[in-house]
Amino acid sequence: MLFQSERLVCRKMTMEDAELYHAWRNDQEVMESTSPFLDAYTMEETRDFVQHVIMGSASSKSYLLLLKESGKPIGIMSLIQIDLKNRNAECILDIGDKDCWGQGYGAEAMRLLLDYAFLEMNLHRLGLRVFSFNQRAIRLYEKAGFTREGSARQSLFRGGSWHDIIYMGILQSEYVKKG
């Protein structure tokens, strides 16, 4: 069913979610594997980001991930840079609640996102970017059917070293065939 799986349910983000998102956005451990810029954000900066980027963009859709049983928010999934003419978008998945890491919620959320993008929005292609040191995410994306399409060599400086940004993609036909 659209926007829910066995253990997760999704809903649109609201301004009331800004405080929760602020905590995830300022947690270095959460952001170091997904955000190219590590910084400390003020609540006002986060409210502005939620208002204009997450909720206010005509070319993106973002959903809060909630545990179905308790209603507890654990992360966010988004389609950004949606190009309806060419039926393309970029996807983002963040599990912000560290207590929920390693329990399969990311894979479950990715299936929800891919079902929505390909089976409801009828997109043709989804892409994503992942840091080369984030092996757990790379395995998740490969299991979901994404293919490595290239990399931007040594594009990210993190922890005193240079890392690649890997570009991955999946086509609607590949996802449907994988079933």
Side-chain angles (χ1 to χ4, degrees):
M1 179 180 280
L2 194 60
F3 296 119
Q4 63 178 311
S5 60
E6 184 180 325
R7 301 180 298 161
L8 298 174
V9 64
C10 304
R11 70 163 170 77
K12 282 276 203 183
M13 283 194 69
T14 68
M15 282 310 293
E16 287 74 45
D17 299 316
E19 196 170 311
L20 172 67
Y21 187 71
H22 182 69
W24 294 339
R25 191 176 193 217
N26 280 296
D27 187 324
Q28 185 172 339
E29 193 177 0
V30 170
M31 300 309 287
E32 70 186 1
S33 61
T34 58
S35 179
F37 307 104
L38 295 180
D39 203 349
Y41 297 96
T42 66
M43 190 63 211
E44 190 56 40
E45 288 172 321
T46 298
R47 280 192 191 100
D48 187 59
F49 183 81
V50 169
Q51 177 79 42
H52 295 101
V53 177
I54 293 178
M55 293 173 39
S57 172
S59 65
S60 69
K61 293 178 177 285
S62 295
Y63 301 91
L64 203 62
L65 297 164
L66 311 168
L67 294 179
K68 189 185 270 188
E69 194 172 287
S70 66
K72 177 184 177 185
I74 65 163
I76 184 172
M77 64 181 200
S78 303
L79 295 172
I80 64 170
Q81 299 176 2
I82 299 170
D83 175 352
L84 294 175
K85 177 198 176 291
N86 295 300
R87 296 174 42 215
N88 290 295
E90 183 176 340
C91 60
I92 297 173
L93 175 63
D94 283 323
I95 304 297
D97 184 333
K98 294 183 285 192
D99 293 337
C100 293
W101 288 2
Q103 297 180 37
Y105 292 117
E108 202 167 321
M110 182 55 73
R111 280 190 301 277
L112 284 171
L113 189 60
L114 293 174
D115 279 353
Y116 180 64
F118 290 137
L119 306 179
E120 180 60 29
M121 291 185 68
N122 196 29
L123 293 179
H124 173 69
R125 180 186 182 283
L126 285 180
L128 59 80
R129 293 173 288 168
V130 61
F131 304 150
S132 58
F133 59 82
N134 193 348
Q135 290 301 310
R136 186 172 56 185
I138 292 168
R139 281 191 303 277
L140 181 148
Y141 301 143
E142 288 175 339
K143 279 185 181 178
F146 283 83
T147 301
R148 291 180 193 225
E149 297 178 333
S151 64
R153 297 177 306 134
Q154 298 186 9
S155 297
L156 178 75
F157 191 72
R158 177 71 36 89
S161 300
W162 287 103
H163 303 277
D164 296 350
I165 296 177
I166 298 170
Y167 292 86
M168 302 180 82
I170 185 171
L171 302 178
Q172 181 185 45
S173 58
E174 295 167 338
Y175 183 67
V176 170
K177 186 167 87 174
K178 188 177 184 322

